[in-house]
Amino acid sequence: MFMALSSGVHVFTWTIYSGDHGQTDFYVYVNHDIFDATLGDTDNTLHDYDSDSGTMVVSLNGHDNVYMRSAWPAQLT
């Protein structure tokens, strides 16, 4: 979890790896609200590995929290 020490524009980047025949679904939260999502999915071929990268730019207030959480099973609230 990241907590903004002061108000301002922040840039976040991530890379998530999914193994052979794998899938990853993650939501990026600002405080308790979904701000962004990321999905990595491999095909059904032998030794098919995947990674998913993302970048987001967000204006935060001091003490706002940013974190990622698995979205499995995937559903938006």
Side-chain angles (χ1 to χ4, degrees), residues 13-66:
T13 62
W14 61 86
T15 299
I16 298 174
Y17 167 79
S18 60
D20 197 17
H21 303 291
Q23 178 176 332
T24 58
D25 297 298
F26 283 87
Y27 292 133
V28 183
Y29 289 83
V30 174
N31 297 317
H32 299 292
D33 299 318
I34 296 172
F35 187 85
D36 204 350
T38 186
L39 165 69
D41 190 14
T42 58
D43 294 325
N44 289 326
T45 58
L46 186 60
H47 304 300
D48 182 26
Y49 299 89
D50 189 41
S51 63
D52 181 55
S53 297
T55 302
M56 72 176 200
V57 179
V58 60
S59 180
L60 299 174
N61 296 312
H63 303 286
D64 280 350
N65 293 307
V66 177

